[in-house]
Amino acid sequence: MSIQALIVFGLVAGSLAYAVWTLMPQAVRRALAGALLRLPLPQRLRPALQAAAAAKSGCCCSGCDLAQPKAPRPLAQALVFHPRKHA
């Protein structure tokens, strides 16, 4: 197998894993993350898996709906026209 085929295989496998993880239901993702935490995985994966295992919202946004509302913007703004320089 050539190096190019191995690189393509790795990219496709990573893309598939990302798509499956993103599109799977939150309950399944939470259960799978809990199961994966019991395995001896690299330490850099543990924080993301712990966050997924503890997620309570359906979109895994960690409470972004609790953010403070932004100040209202004015509905109308003044238009500024710049004169053209004639050549």
Side-chain angles (χ1 to χ4, degrees):
M1 199 181 252
S2 69
I3 296 293
Q4 181 180 2
L6 290 174
I7 291 171
V8 169
F9 176 76
L11 289 172
V12 170
S15 298
L16 176 68
Y18 175 77
V20 167
W21 181 261
T22 303
L23 296 175
M24 94 176 37
Q26 181 66 28
V28 176
R29 189 180 315 150
R30 195 178 8 238
L32 183 61
L36 287 174
L37 282 171
R38 293 186 206 104
L39 297 176
L41 294 174
Q43 287 297 323
R44 66 181 192 181
L45 294 177
R46 292 192 79 72
L49 288 175
Q50 287 171 341
K56 293 180 181 150
S57 65
C59 63
C60 197
C61 67
S62 302
C64 61
D65 57 336
L66 302 176
Q68 297 295 322
K70 293 182 181 180
R73 292 184 6 189
L75 295 177
Q77 295 179 351
L79 293 176
V80 178
F81 293 99
H82 299 281
R84 290 173 120 192
K85 292 183 180 181
H86 296 288

